[in-house]
Each structure stands twice: as structure tokens, then as C-alpha cells.
């Protein structure tokens, strides 16, 4: 139980689009871990434009947890507008550190333990990676998703973020300052929002650490890489244009 909201160390933001079936198991696993920690925490679940009863399931879960907050919003976009949901949750969060993770727990909450040493060393953005030494893919994606994902990552590194090996892993943490500054400027609501987050971190001069994690393909992703690929590429070019035109410098 959070006795003093001003003392929250870690906020967890979980975007949830039609996750009625699996969200309870995810919340239980996240809380099981966090309840063993010595710090106060909060979990914000952002149910965005759901057509199932995700919000009702979360409301039911709240009856047994004072640490879970539901944000039920309606921003329509193909695929559930994950970027919009994450932005809303991160700006609503109150923790000194703010992490967003996927509702399918492809990266387990326990991996956050690897992040703390980097924050202590002065990094302000710490992201999980499946593609650097020390990472482990416990359950692999289908071969076509791996191939298209790697091709997309190559383009992202070539055109925007040369030092980041894995921009798309859905497990990223920020200091309060970095979170508030970056997410206030986010414009992309679709799958390309991860690129924009990291591009803004780079632009604003925040130190970014990429940390190897264990990763599990939960088989619940709604991303159709064939249709999403061209859209993400357009978003990649849009971010480049925004940076060159000074769009993010505007108040």
C-alpha cells in the first residue's frame, strides 16, 4: 500500500489495447515482484480505445490492489495507438523513475533490477535490448517477424539512431526529468513512437543506456509487420524532418 504518494520511487505504465484475457496475469506478476521491494510504487494501466472489457477487468483487479490506477481513454488509431497510451501514462505518473512495459510481459518486470546501476551512474534513460551481448531470446518470434524486425532496425540505425541496437523493445525507463521533457513532445501515436522517444532523448542530451534482457515472445502482439512496416518508415522520415525543422524546439 502506498502510504505517502510523494515517496513513489517507481511508476509502471502499461498500455493495454483489448487485453482483457491476459492483463490480470500481468498485473499479478508485476505486483508479486514489486511487493518484495523496499520502495513504494504505482501501476498505471492505460486502456485505450478498447472494444473488449479490458477496463472492467482492471477495475475488478483494483478491488484487491491500492497500487493500480486505470486510465480509460479513447484515442482511435489502427492498432490501439500504443504511443498515445504510453504518453498519457508517463505524463500522469508520479514516480522518481518511470518505466513503460508491454501488457504481454514479453520483458519480465524483474529485468528492471538491471537498470538501477545505470541510473546510479547518471544515465537518465535506460532501455531493454534483445540485440546486444548478454541478451537472451527465450521464446523466439516467427522467422518472418525476426527478418522484418532486423531490417527495420537497420533502417532506424542508418537514418536516425546509429548507436541504438534495439529501438523497439517495449521496456524503457526514465528519470522523472527525462520522462516529463520527452513525453511532453511526443507526436507519434503509432508503433513508431519508440523511435521518437529515443530521438528526443538524444536531442535533449540525456544519457541513454542499452541493457541486455531476457525476452519472451508472448504470441499476443497485434503488430502486423507487413502493413505496419511502411507506416513506421514514414514515421521515421517524419521524425527526421521534425528534427531538421526544429519542430521539437517549439514551446
Amino acid at each position: 500500500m502506498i502510504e505517502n504518494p510523494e515517496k513513489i520511487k517507481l511508476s509502471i505504465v502499461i498500455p493495454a489495447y483489448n487485453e482483457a484475457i491476459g492483463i490480470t496475469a500481468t498485473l499479478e506478476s508485476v505486483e508479486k515482484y514489486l511487493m518484495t521491494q523496499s520502495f513504494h510504487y504505482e501501476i498505471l494501466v492505460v486502456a485505450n480505445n478498447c472494444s473488449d472489457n479490458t477496463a472492467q477487468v482492471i477495475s475488478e483487479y483494483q478491488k484487491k490492489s491500492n497500487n493500480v490506477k486505470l486510465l480509460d481513454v479513447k484515442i482511435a488509431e489502427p492498432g490501439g495507438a500504443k504511443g498515445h497510451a504510453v504518453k498519457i501514462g508517463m505524463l500522469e505518473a508520479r514516480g522518481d523513475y518511470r518505466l513503460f512495459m508491454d501488457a504481454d510481459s514479453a520483458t519480465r518486470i524483474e529485468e528492471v533490477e538491471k537498470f538501477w546501476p545505470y541510473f546510479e551512474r547518471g544515465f537518465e534513460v535506460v532501455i531493454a535490448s534483445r540485440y546486444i551481448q548478454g541478451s537472451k531470446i527465450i521464446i523466439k518470434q516467427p522467422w518472418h517477424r525476426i527478418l522484418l524486425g532486423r531490417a527495420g532496425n537497420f533502417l532506424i540505425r542508418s537514418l536516425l539512431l546509429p548507436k541504438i541496437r534495439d529501438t523497439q523493445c517495449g521496456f524503457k525507463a526514465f528519470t522523472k526529468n527525462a520522462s516529463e521533457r520527452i513525453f511532453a513532445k511526443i507526436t507519434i501515436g503509432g508503433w513508431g513512437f519508440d523511435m521518437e522517444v529515443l530521438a528526443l532523448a538524444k536531442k535533449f542530451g540525456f544519457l541513454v543506456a542499452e541493457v541486455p534482457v531476457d525476452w519472451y515472445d508472448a504470441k499476443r502482439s497485434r503488430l502486423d509487420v507487413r502493413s505496419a512496416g511502411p507506416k513506421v518508415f514514414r514515421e521515421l522520415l517524419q521524425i527526421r524532418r521534425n528534427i531538421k525543422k526544429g519542430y521539437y524546439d517549439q514551446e
Side-chain angles (χ1 to χ4, degrees):
M1 180 177 179
I2 302 175
E3 298 176 355
N4 185 349
E6 299 302 319
K7 295 292 185 179
I8 295 173
K9 178 178 180 178
L10 180 64
S11 297
I12 307 289
V13 173
I14 305 176
Y17 174 65
N18 290 349
E19 291 286 349
I21 294 176
I23 192 63
T24 297
T26 293
L27 290 173
E28 288 176 344
S29 66
V30 170
E31 285 222 281
K32 181 179 179 181
Y33 168 78
L34 290 175
M35 288 175 66
T36 67
Q37 306 304 303
S38 60
F39 54 77
H40 295 297
Y41 65 90
E42 65 175 357
I43 303 171
L44 297 90
V45 186
V46 187
N48 180 35
N49 206 40
C50 295
S51 58
D52 68 357
N53 64 331
T54 295
Q56 292 91 325
V57 171
I58 298 166
S59 295
E60 188 66 26
Y61 184 88
Q62 287 179 301
K63 295 178 181 179
K64 61 180 180 180
S65 175
N66 295 323
N67 299 316
V68 175
K69 180 176 182 179
L70 168 65
L71 302 175
D72 191 8
V73 298
K74 301 294 181 183
I75 301 177
E77 187 168 312
K82 179 181 178 182
H84 291 310
V86 172
K87 176 178 180 175
I88 290 168
M90 295 296 276
L91 293 178
E92 183 75 15
R94 298 169 294 168
D96 292 332
Y97 301 91
R98 302 167 187 188
L99 178 145
F100 71 80
M101 63 178 288
D102 289 337
D104 61 10
S105 282
T107 305
R108 307 293 196 252
I109 185 59
E110 290 82 358
E111 298 292 333
V112 75
E113 292 184 7
K114 300 175 182 178
F115 286 18
W116 299 123
Y118 291 91
F119 283 125
E120 291 168 2
R121 286 164 49 190
F123 288 92
E124 294 144 297
V125 179
V126 184
I127 66 173
S129 178
R130 299 160 290 181
Y131 304 145
I132 61 176
Q133 185 175 3
S135 63
K136 296 179 182 178
I137 306 297
I138 308 300
I139 300 177
K140 295 183 178 181
Q141 295 175 304
W143 67 268
H144 66 280
R145 290 179 65 90
I146 295 174
L147 180 62
L148 291 172
R150 292 297 182 95
N153 189 258
F154 173 78
L155 285 174
I156 295 168
R157 291 176 65 192
S158 300
L159 299 176
L160 187 66
L161 296 161
K163 295 184 178 180
I164 303 296
R165 296 291 300 276
D166 186 0
T167 61
Q168 303 308 110
C169 188
F171 196 88
K172 296 178 173 68
F174 308 77
T175 62
K176 176 182 177 180
N177 178 48
S179 176
E180 291 178 348
R181 189 166 183 199
I182 291 170
F183 285 92
K185 293 290 188 178
I186 292 298
T187 64
I188 292 176
W191 299 106
F193 88 96
D194 287 279
M195 300 183 297
E196 191 174 30
V197 164
L198 295 175
L200 286 171
K202 176 183 175 181
K203 175 177 174 55
F204 295 150
F206 292 119
L207 293 176
V208 179
E210 191 171 8
V211 179
V213 297
D214 294 351
W215 188 85
Y216 304 73
D217 180 24
K219 311 298 182 184
R220 283 161 50 193
S221 174
R222 294 177 176 82
L223 175 63
D224 183 339
V225 291
R226 292 166 296 183
S227 61
K231 184 174 187 294
V232 173
F233 181 67
R234 291 194 297 271
E235 291 170 342
L236 170 60
L237 297 180
Q238 176 186 334
I239 296 166
R240 280 170 53 90
R241 287 194 299 269
N242 287 348
I243 291 173
K244 289 182 179 180
K245 293 182 178 180
Y247 179 86
Y248 300 116
D249 299 325
Q250 301 174 15
E251 294 297 330

